Amino acid sequence: IAVLWKLASFFKYLSFSAQSDFAPYFYDNGAGSSNGNMALFSISEDTSIGTHVYTLNGSDPEGEPVTYGMTFDKGSKEYFSVEPKSGNVTLIQTLDREVQDEIIAFVTITDGRNKVVENVRVFITDANDEKPEFLNLPLIVDVPEDKASGSSIYRVQAVDRDLGSGGSVSYYLQSMPSTKFTIDGHSGVLRIRSGESLDYELSRTHFVTVVAKDGGGKYHGKYQVMTSTAIITINVLDTQDSPPVFVGTPYFGFVYEVSVPGSEIFTVFAKDGDQNNPNAMHYSILSGSDGFFSINSSSGCISLTSFPVQLKNELYELKVKVAAEVGPDGFSDYSVTTVTIRVVDLNNHPPTFYGENGQQNRFELTMYEHPPEGEILRGLKITVNDSDQGANAKFRLLLVGPSRVLRVVPQTVLNEAQVTIIVENSSAIDYEKYQFLTFKLLAVEIDTPERFSATADIVINLLDTNDNIPKFSSEFYIARIPENSPGGSNVVSVTATDPDSGLWGAVKYSIYGSGADLFLIHPTSGIIYTQPWASLDAEVKSKYNFYVKAEDTEGKYSLAEVFVTVLDQNDHPPEFNQNFLERTMIIGAPVKIEAVDEDAEEPNNLIEYSIMKADPDNIFDINTSTGEIKLKPYIKSMEIVQNITKQKDCRWSVVVQARDRGSPSFSTTAVVKIDITEANRLKGPMAAFLMQSRDNPMKALGLAISIITVMVLVTVMISTIIYFRNTKSNRITPARRIIRKRPKDQRSWTFRPWFGRSDQSFGKFFTDDETSGNHSSLRAKPPAPSAPVLPPPPPVHSRPSERLRSVPTVSGSMTSKNTDVAQRSGQNKDGSGISSALVSELKMRIEQKINEANQGYYY
């Protein structure tokens, strides 16, 4: 029974599994979507092969992984391929809407057990990829010459297989000088331009280039207009409307001394103006022959009817008429021309050139370039001669070649002359432009009908000189090099050329200038590179400029300036002045932190601030550009702050990151402890300063140190001034003036010897008034100096309460000083025994000083 129960459960499970195995399905996202089942999908014909054009997308109800596929009808071209797992559809064949405007494909999706196939149509949209095509080529039109102006003579037709504006065609004629035709841009009708006419005699054929232009459209994402051209051949048909035309006018004939009656002098020729169907010509002499000349009516040959000696004039002008025979009834229009006949001697000798070895027609010379202007080319020895006489021996010399380089002298010759060639333009005789110069020397008769002439070639071979300086391809060069580039890195290549030949054209490069210390230049290639030990740092210096020199072998040189910019690399991270910052924030006011990036240029030194972590979270905002941190707008009082945190001191931590915008980007972080407080209730500048100092205690400490320093300096200065004034007042200085004695009140003097010093030096002496004064008079201003007077004799008795002071050598002034003698008199009990001796010695020294002073001051 248990086995049967298990078998029943197993078959029940299999039945349930079979019932729940559903087939996968495509998402139908409709037209315009780039993923789904490709329903109503369209693709432009200019899509490139290998482009990802669509993504098949579907799902399996059981969540099983699905794969995708695509097939095509047998025998049809496969335009797409599908990646089975991702469903990415890729174009693998070139599309052409004009050949095939839609593709039928079968897309499949399967979960391994069930497979779903859907039939899709992919529509190919048009792109402007076809040019207009002309019909009825070649375009040939026959037009009578008497066709009226403005008449239509042909209609041009062109078609464009594109759709829309790309399939519309308009026409225009390529611009040609003096064209006689115009075309309608829409219909293509070709017309004779208004005011123009056709003339068979002037032009039998016209060629007109017509352009067919489509309306334009996009192709590979760019707007383009496509055109085609065709040539229309317009043949002009002749009509009978033109008189005969003489050919080869003007006409000249000559009668020579050896001529005989019947000699042919000249033959005129005329043709019918209507050349398509010409008629026979009839010639006659109207006037001017005087009976000496006749003309053949059919051939137009003019003959002499008498001997030359019978001719009375040297010049005859015959009026000759020609008419076209239209029919037996008469002639059409006629034309008249003049034939000039001159009676002359026989001219049978042309001009001839001679050199040193006889007749010659080629002369050569080798010389250096740039000879002085006006110099005679003495290497050319040319003579010209004409053996005829009179006017037949007169001819003109011409030099044909590069304009205004050389000139010939003389220009007019009778019989014979020596030819001289002179330099006219020295700069044009340049070896760098021409290695040799070729001229034609012509001698042409002036007044003879035959116009006999002679020609000689003049070839000048040039030798080079060092007449050019090296020239740089540019006056300045701009180079850029990344900082931290290794030593020896190429910076820029400069190029200078010297057109001179040989060693004169060799260029050597050098570099100099205050900014050239870190750079070198290859002397022959002109490549500028950094010193092997050079280290470029844009933060230290980003701009360098110096000069390069190009010099040839003779020291001719030119200069160019080089500007080098060291490109900044992001090699410095932002830095806070401390990794742990403390700030006090007043509610409603921000606090600011700042980091510094030592990179030289943007965006490497632009810093963005962000809050990485805050405790508590979502309380602070930070300005990404300035680094100002402020509370969220809803925090407006300390009550809200205390509701957020359980800390009584309201000190919150924020981890702030400073990241630069370089590539790669660097960042650093700092922890900011923020003490939250309300707005300051105190007023005044000191209160504001103290509140600001809470965020920056070093600022307050610095101010306190500054105030103390100023007070100490003022105290030292005052003490120094008082010291020097007291020192000066205790010095007797000679004065060149008469000292007048004035009576003074006698004062009692008290001498206080001071035996406390080991050297037994005498102390200072004071008046009774000074000893009885207040102790605060130690800094009293001393009296103005005066001539010393003899002090009164000291009293015999001394004060028992005061100890005697030692008496020093005499000073120039008396300074009061209070001393507590009674407190220090215990050290010397027997000082009164030597008091009289000290007084006597002091008195003697004072008198001696007074006498010395009186000898110098009294007159």
Side-chain angles (χ1 to χ4, degrees):
I1 294 173
V3 171
L4 291 176
W5 183 81
K6 289 183 179 180
L7 287 174
S9 300
F10 176 72
F11 285 116
K12 184 178 180 180
Y13 172 76
L14 291 179
S15 176
F16 177 78
S17 299
Q19 292 176 0
S20 62
D21 186 10
F22 297 100
Y25 59 91
F26 281 107
Y27 296 133
D28 187 358
N29 294 328
S33 175
S34 62
N35 63 83
N37 60 352
M38 296 187 74
L40 301 177
F41 174 64
S42 61
I43 182 173
S44 177
E45 65 176 328
D46 60 350
T47 304
S48 301
I49 294 177
T51 303
H52 171 219
V53 298
Y54 199 85
T55 300
L56 294 176
N57 194 3
S59 179
D60 184 74
E62 291 80 28
E64 294 292 332
V66 297
T67 57
Y68 306 92
M70 178 181 291
T71 59
F72 298 85
D73 287 332
K74 185 176 181 180
S76 62
K77 186 183 292 186
E78 296 184 359
Y79 287 92
F80 305 102
S81 66
V82 178
E83 205 286 319
K85 293 184 178 181
S86 64
N88 291 335
V89 180
T90 304
L91 180 66
I92 61 174
Q93 295 287 345
T94 303
L95 302 177
D96 190 346
R97 187 204 62 81
E98 288 73 26
V99 176
Q100 183 177 354
D101 58 358
E102 70 175 15
I103 300 171
I104 298 176
F106 301 94
V107 294
T108 63
I109 181 173
T110 177
D111 60 359
R113 292 184 299 274
N114 300 300
K115 183 177 182 180
V116 176
V117 180
E118 292 188 8
N119 186 1
V120 296
R121 290 176 178 267
V122 178
F123 300 98
I124 302 176
T125 60
D126 188 41
N128 191 24
D129 60 339
E130 297 289 334
K131 293 183 178 180
E133 296 181 359
F134 287 94
L135 305 179
N136 305 320
L137 293 176
L139 306 179
I140 302 176
V141 186
D142 295 330
V143 183
E145 64 176 335
D146 57 355
K147 192 75 170 179
S149 174
S151 301
S152 62
I153 59 176
Y154 190 73
R155 182 184 179 191
V156 181
Q157 288 182 305
V159 295
D160 192 321
R161 295 190 298 169
D162 288 321
L163 300 177
S165 62
S168 64
V169 181
S170 60
Y171 308 90
Y172 65 91
L173 300 181
Q174 280 189 349
S175 59
M176 296 176 60
S178 65
T179 181
K180 294 179 176 292
F181 306 95
T182 183
I183 192 170
D184 185 272
H186 299 288
S187 65
V189 174
L190 185 67
R191 300 176 184 274
I192 300 175
R193 186 183 294 275
S194 178
E196 298 287 345
S197 62
L198 304 179
D199 192 339
Y200 177 85
E201 288 71 32
L202 296 179
S203 179
R204 298 182 183 183
T205 306
H206 298 272
F207 298 98
V208 177
T209 302
V210 62
V211 181
K213 180 182 71 171
D214 64 17
K218 288 189 175 182
Y219 184 69
H220 287 300
K222 295 183 179 180
Y223 184 84
Q224 72 171 6
V225 176
M226 305 194 74
T227 60
S228 297
T229 59
I231 297 177
I232 305 175
T233 303
I234 303 173
N235 298 319
V236 182
L237 304 179
D238 188 26
T239 58
Q240 295 293 333
D241 61 347
S242 300
V245 178
F246 283 99
V247 179
T249 58
Y251 296 137
F252 296 94
F254 301 93
V255 177
Y256 299 102
E257 52 190 350
V258 295
S259 300
V260 296
S263 299
E264 294 183 0
I265 305 302
F266 193 82
T267 299
V268 297
F269 175 73
K271 60 181 180 179
D272 193 351
D274 300 315
Q275 300 178 19
N276 192 34
N277 188 18
N279 297 306
M281 298 291 104
H282 184 274
Y283 301 95
S284 62
I285 297 177
L286 296 179
S287 63
S289 66
D290 292 343
F292 297 112
F293 303 97
S294 65
I295 189 169
N296 187 300
S297 61
S298 299
S299 64
C301 179
I302 301 174
S303 303
L304 182 65
T305 58
S306 62
F307 288 99
V309 295
Q310 296 176 347
L311 301 178
K312 299 178 181 179
N313 301 324
E314 293 184 0
L315 188 68
Y316 292 88
E317 292 186 351
L318 308 182
K319 296 294 184 181
V320 178
K321 174 183 175 181
V322 63
E325 295 180 356
V326 176
D329 297 336
F331 300 94
S332 65
D333 293 339
Y334 64 90
S335 298
V336 178
T337 188
T338 300
V339 179
T340 303
I341 299 176
R342 183 183 295 275
V343 180
V344 295
D345 291 332
L346 187 61
N347 182 23
N348 53 1
H349 294 91
T352 306
F353 291 101
Y354 297 89
E356 294 179 336
N357 300 320
Q359 186 175 346
Q360 190 175 336
N361 59 4
R362 181 181 175 87
F363 301 88
E364 289 194 20
L365 173 66
T366 300
M367 58 181 286
Y368 284 101
E369 63 177 336
H370 303 304
E373 294 182 359
E375 179 176 322
I376 298 174
L377 304 185
R378 302 187 184 279
L380 297 174
K381 300 185 182 300
I382 307 172
T383 303
V384 63
N385 175 269
D386 191 329
S387 299
D388 290 321
Q389 300 298 321
N392 293 335
K394 187 177 181 181
F395 55 90
R396 178 181 291 110
L397 290 177
L398 300 173
L399 192 61
V400 180
S403 178
R404 296 184 178 276
V405 177
L406 304 176
R407 61 186 176 92
V408 62
V409 176
Q411 295 183 352
T412 303
V413 180
L414 184 61
N415 292 118
E416 184 176 293
Q418 183 74 31
V419 179
T420 302
I421 307 296
I422 301 175
V423 176
E424 189 172 16
N425 186 356
S426 175
S427 62
I429 305 176
D430 192 347
Y431 177 85
E432 285 71 36
K433 295 180 181 178
Y434 316 99
Q435 279 70 46
F436 61 90
L437 298 173
T438 302
F439 297 86
K440 291 283 187 181
L441 182 59
L442 304 180
V444 182
E445 291 181 346
I446 299 175
D447 297 327
T448 62
E450 296 82 8
R451 294 295 178 96
F452 290 137
S453 63
T455 303
D457 293 326
I458 298 178
V459 179
I460 300 176
N461 298 307
L462 296 180
L463 301 177
D464 193 21
T465 61
N466 189 19
D467 60 329
N468 293 284
I469 64 173
K471 186 176 182 181
F472 282 97
S473 59
S474 176
E475 294 182 357
F476 59 89
Y477 295 87
I478 298 176
R480 297 175 176 84
I481 182 172
E483 66 174 341
N484 303 325
S485 295
S489 298
N490 289 351
V491 179
V492 68
S493 178
V494 299
T495 304
T497 56
D498 191 328
D500 290 320
S501 60
L503 293 177
W504 290 328
V507 178
K508 181 180 179 181
Y509 300 95
S510 58
I511 186 173
Y512 70 96
S514 59
D517 298 339
L518 300 181
F519 303 93
L520 296 173
I521 187 170
H522 194 278
T524 56
S525 66
I527 296 176
I528 299 175
Y529 54 94
T530 58
Q531 294 271 14
W533 46 264
S535 176
L536 302 178
D537 191 343
E539 288 75 37
V540 177
K541 185 175 182 180
S542 61
K543 302 289 184 181
Y544 296 88
N545 69 294
F546 48 85
Y547 292 92
V548 288
K549 179 180 180 181
E551 185 176 13
D552 63 15
T553 55
E554 290 190 351
K556 294 183 178 181
Y557 68 91
S558 63
L559 301 176
E561 191 167 5
V562 179
F563 298 89
V564 179
T565 300
V566 180
L567 301 178
D568 183 44
Q569 303 293 311
N570 193 22
D571 54 351
H572 291 279
E575 293 184 357
F576 291 98
N577 55 359
Q578 293 180 0
N579 293 331
F580 185 83
L581 306 175
E582 292 188 357
R583 295 290 187 270
T584 298
M585 177 181 289
I586 299 174
I587 295 178
V591 296
K592 183 177 181 180
I593 62 172
E594 185 174 7
V596 178
D597 192 314
E598 295 183 359
D599 285 313
E601 298 177 1
E602 297 180 356
N604 296 334
N605 59 5
L606 294 180
I607 299 176
E608 293 183 347
Y609 299 91
S610 61
I611 295 177
M612 303 297 295
K613 183 179 180 182
D615 184 19
D617 194 11
N618 200 24
I619 295 300
F620 297 99
D621 288 329
I622 188 168
N623 189 309
T624 59
S625 300
T626 63
E628 290 186 348
I629 303 174
K630 60 182 180 180
L631 293 170
K632 293 287 185 178
Y634 68 87
I635 301 177
K636 299 181 179 180
S637 64
M638 286 298 295
E639 289 78 3
I640 299 176
V641 172
Q642 292 172 357
N643 290 334
I644 294 174
T645 179
K646 297 180 179 181
Q647 300 177 4
K648 296 182 178 181
D649 54 359
C650 296
R651 294 176 61 88
W652 292 341
S653 297
V654 179
V655 179
V656 178
Q657 181 190 69
R659 177 179 294 275
D660 61 29
R661 298 184 183 178
S663 179
S665 178
F666 294 104
S667 64
T668 186
T669 58
V671 177
V672 183
K673 289 289 187 176
I674 299 179
D675 185 6
I676 309 298
T677 184
E678 287 186 315
N680 183 22
R681 297 181 180 180
L682 301 177
K683 296 183 179 180
M686 182 56 69
F689 174 78
L690 292 176
M691 290 305 300
Q692 294 176 1
S693 301
R694 296 183 66 184
D695 292 337
N696 191 358
M698 296 302 296
K699 183 176 180 182
L701 179 61
L703 180 62
I705 293 174
S706 300
I707 295 174
I708 294 173
T709 303
V710 171
M711 294 176 64
V712 171
L713 291 176
V714 170
T715 303
V716 171
M717 290 177 61
I718 294 174
S719 302
T720 304
I721 293 172
I722 294 175
Y723 171 77
F724 280 107
R725 291 185 62 182
N726 291 341
T727 304
K728 183 177 179 182
S729 63
N730 291 335
R731 187 186 310 121
I732 298 177
T733 38
R736 295 296 181 180
R737 58 190 180 87
I738 298 175
I739 301 176
R740 302 180 183 275
K741 294 184 178 180
R742 290 181 294 178
K744 294 184 177 180
D745 297 335
Q746 293 186 354
R747 300 178 181 177
S748 59
W749 294 79
T750 302
F751 295 91
R752 302 168 187 170
W754 185 18
F755 297 99
R757 294 175 56 91
S758 62
D759 57 356
Q760 300 297 318
S761 60
F762 293 101
K764 291 185 180 180
F765 55 92
F766 304 90
T767 62
D768 292 338
D769 295 337
E770 291 169 346
T771 56
S772 61
N774 195 331
H775 288 231
S776 64
S777 62
L778 292 174
R779 297 291 181 180
K781 184 178 179 181
S786 60
V789 295
L790 186 63
V796 178
H797 62 277
S798 61
R799 297 180 182 178
S801 61
E802 293 181 353
R803 61 172 291 195
L804 296 178
R805 304 289 299 274
S806 60
V807 181
T809 56
V810 176
S811 174
S813 62
M814 307 298 180
T815 303
S816 61
K817 184 173 182 180
N818 295 327
T819 55
D820 297 333
V821 181
Q823 297 177 1
R824 292 178 290 178
S825 59
Q827 297 180 3
N828 193 359
K829 299 293 185 176
D830 56 349
S832 60
I834 60 174
S835 176
S836 59
L838 292 176
V839 171
S840 299
E841 182 180 357
L842 178 60
K843 180 179 179 181
M844 182 181 63
R845 291 185 179 182
I846 291 175
E847 290 177 352
Q848 183 180 357
K849 292 290 184 180
I850 292 174
N851 293 332
E852 292 176 357
N854 290 338
Q855 290 178 2
Y857 297 145
Y858 288 94
Y859 295 92

